[in-house]
Amino acid sequence: DVEFLADLALSIGKNLTPEEKLARIYATEEEDLETPFLYNEERVLGFIKTIAEENNMPAKDATIRKSGETFTVTEHQTGMVVDEEALLKELKKTIESLDVEKPIQATLVLSEPKITADALRKIDGRLSSFTTNYSTSAEGRKWNVSHAANLINGTVVMPGETFSYNAEIGTISLSTGFRNAGIYIGDRIEEGLGGGICQVSSTLYQAVLHGNLGIVQRSNHSMAVSYMSPGMDAVVYAPYLDLKFKNNNPNPVYVFAYGDNNNLTVAIYGHKADLNGYSYKVYSETLKVIEPEVIEKEDPTMYVGEKKDDNVPFRGYTSRTYRQTIKDGKVVHTEFLSQDTYKKVDKIVLVGTKPKPEPVEPPVEPPVEQGEEGTEG
């Protein structure tokens, strides 16, 4: 710290009397000053990161690929990486001792993969599946359903790990492959990017429930959807609304999702023994149905006598959803999952109030005079 050292040197003798100062000037004694030495820790950390990037050999996860009802597993690889924490301690010691000639040996440590081949080989069958239909959807919506299904297909969720639907499908934009389709905006269906992705999240939600995996986050739509009974759906809208589930099994699970422009199927594969012989059934009961009303709304841009529907009406619902645990064909436990409310949307009919213009009578043409017919001579 040169500035501190200079100030320290200049301060010596300032508090002496004039006689003491004069005596000091003529004296031959030397004054030893302690030299302060500083370093920028961020620069040191940056140097360590560079060393790590040049020398690390990261571990490689095992992979799994589904073909029909069989799986092919590729082996994992153990990696070797720089022990950055140990290297930082050694560098600090060397810097603080000013022993710049001292060699420092970076230590490499084993880096284990998150997903091992042995773990993936435990996946030996289907734990659950669910199918919904989207054959009547518009082309843009069909595309989005198939695209979102492809994005989550093949995802491996390790024991204790949480799956996030929003994280798996990523940003909803034209550049990421999504198209415009109908989405819920307020009380209306309007064109928007990604219409149809909620059918994939809802179908996944049911597959997860039927596989007895743990739901971490789920919300129902504000209005009922056509492809799922009330209480069975799962809305997503990043970053606020997500579908998350936790793999509470001791072995990994594999998410399969496929849409063929008619049916969407999502299945959960894993170690069949993790079900312990149980199967699961999910059902909902409708507690209340609220029929939409027809509301006429004046429209000064339309003529009197003209009418036009302005929106799509929706029934309102209140529902409860349950999951049954079944063993040897008998229900051994019934679990309450959720109570959901869907708002009704009244049908709005626009009624014209603009006066019709008076009909204009066409002008009467005067009769055409005709001459007498001549006679032949």
Side-chain angles (χ1 to χ4, degrees), residues 10-311:
L10 288 171
S11 69
I12 294 176
K14 295 294 185 181
N15 58 345
L16 300 177
T17 64
E19 292 78 9
E20 290 173 329
K21 290 180 179 179
L22 186 61
R24 187 179 182 83
I25 289 173
Y26 288 102
T28 58
E29 296 179 1
E30 293 182 350
E31 184 82 25
D32 290 329
L33 302 179
E34 186 177 342
T35 307
F37 187 84
L38 307 177
Y39 64 92
N40 186 329
E41 186 164 328
E42 289 185 4
R43 294 279 299 275
V44 176
L45 291 172
F47 172 72
I48 291 175
K49 289 295 181 186
T50 301
I51 296 297
E53 289 172 1
E54 292 175 352
N55 293 277
N56 283 352
M57 294 178 289
K60 290 185 179 180
D61 288 334
T63 61
I64 186 168
R65 184 170 59 87
K66 181 177 179 294
S67 179
E69 290 299 311
T70 62
F71 289 92
T72 302
V73 176
T74 61
E75 293 293 329
H76 63 271
Q77 294 182 18
T78 300
M80 297 285 287
V81 297
V82 172
D83 187 340
E84 298 183 26
E85 186 176 346
L87 182 56
L88 176 61
K89 288 181 180 179
E90 288 299 314
L91 277 172
K92 281 185 175 182
K93 285 181 184 177
T94 303
I95 291 171
E96 289 165 1
S97 67
L98 298 181
D99 186 4
V100 294
E101 299 299 326
K102 176 185 176 181
I104 299 174
Q105 185 73 38
T107 303
L108 291 174
V109 295
L110 289 177
S111 171
E112 297 294 340
K114 184 185 75 171
I115 303 174
T116 66
D118 290 341
L120 293 184
R121 290 192 184 97
K122 291 285 188 177
I123 299 175
D124 57 9
R126 187 170 58 188
L127 306 183
S128 62
S129 69
F130 202 83
T131 299
T132 56
N133 184 272
Y134 65 109
S135 60
T136 59
S137 295
E139 288 305 312
R141 190 177 186 281
K142 283 185 175 182
W143 172 273
N144 290 335
V145 169
S146 298
H147 185 50
N150 288 335
L151 291 174
I152 67 170
N153 181 53
T155 304
V156 173
V157 188
M158 297 301 288
E161 234 180 20
T162 295
F163 172 100
S164 164
Y165 181 81
N166 287 342
E168 289 301 322
I169 66 171
T171 304
I172 307 298
S173 67
L174 292 173
S175 62
T176 56
F178 289 94
R179 297 180 181 178
N180 282 310
I183 60 174
Y184 287 167
I185 299 181
D187 292 348
R188 294 177 174 271
I189 299 178
E190 298 183 10
E191 286 288 299
L193 272 173
I197 64 171
C198 290
Q199 182 161 353
V200 182
S201 61
S202 297
T203 310
L204 171 64
Y205 173 56
Q206 287 303 311
V208 167
L209 288 179
H210 284 80
N212 196 35
L213 300 175
I215 300 299
V216 176
Q217 181 181 346
R218 172 262 173 186
S219 301
N220 64 292
H221 286 79
S222 59
M223 299 176 292
V225 295
S226 60
Y227 52 82
M228 200 78 77
S229 300
M232 306 281 275
D233 60 310
V235 65
V236 291
Y237 182 70
Y240 310 106
L241 301 174
D242 196 2
L243 172 66
K244 295 181 180 180
F245 71 87
K246 184 176 182 179
N247 178 12
N248 45 23
N249 288 338
N251 294 291
V253 296
Y254 175 98
V255 178
F256 168 81
Y258 177 70
D260 62 2
N261 282 345
N262 290 299
N263 293 305
L264 166 69
T265 296
V266 178
I268 304 296
Y269 287 81
H271 189 47
K272 289 187 291 187
D274 289 344
L275 289 175
N276 295 315
Y278 293 100
S279 62
Y280 300 88
K281 178 183 177 182
V282 180
Y283 68 95
S284 66
E285 60 178 7
T286 300
L287 305 178
K288 187 176 182 181
V289 179
I290 307 173
E291 294 292 340
E293 300 176 12
V294 177
I295 299 176
E296 293 189 346
K297 187 176 180 181
E298 294 183 346
D299 187 338
T301 66
M302 296 169 52
Y303 290 117
V304 172
E306 293 181 338
K307 290 186 177 182
K308 183 175 69 173
D309 293 344
D310 189 48
N311 69 333

Side-chain angles (χ1 to χ4, degrees), residues 308-373:
K308 183 175 69 173
D309 293 344
D310 189 48
N311 69 333
V312 177
F314 287 87
R315 288 189 178 95
Y317 295 95
T318 299
S319 66
R320 284 181 183 162
T321 305
Y322 303 86
R323 176 168 55 190
Q324 292 178 334
T325 302
I326 302 169
K327 185 72 175 284
D328 298 327
K330 296 180 180 181
V331 176
V332 296
H333 178 65
T334 299
E335 172 189 4
F336 170 77
L337 296 176
S338 67
Q339 178 163 315
D340 301 304
T341 300
Y342 302 82
K343 65 182 178 181
K344 69 151 180 153
V345 176
D346 294 325
K347 181 178 181 180
I348 305 298
V349 178
L350 300 179
V351 179
T353 59
K354 184 179 179 181
K356 289 184 178 180
E358 294 292 332
V360 179
E361 295 289 339
V364 178
E365 295 289 337
V368 179
E369 295 183 2
Q370 297 183 1
E372 296 181 0
E373 294 182 353

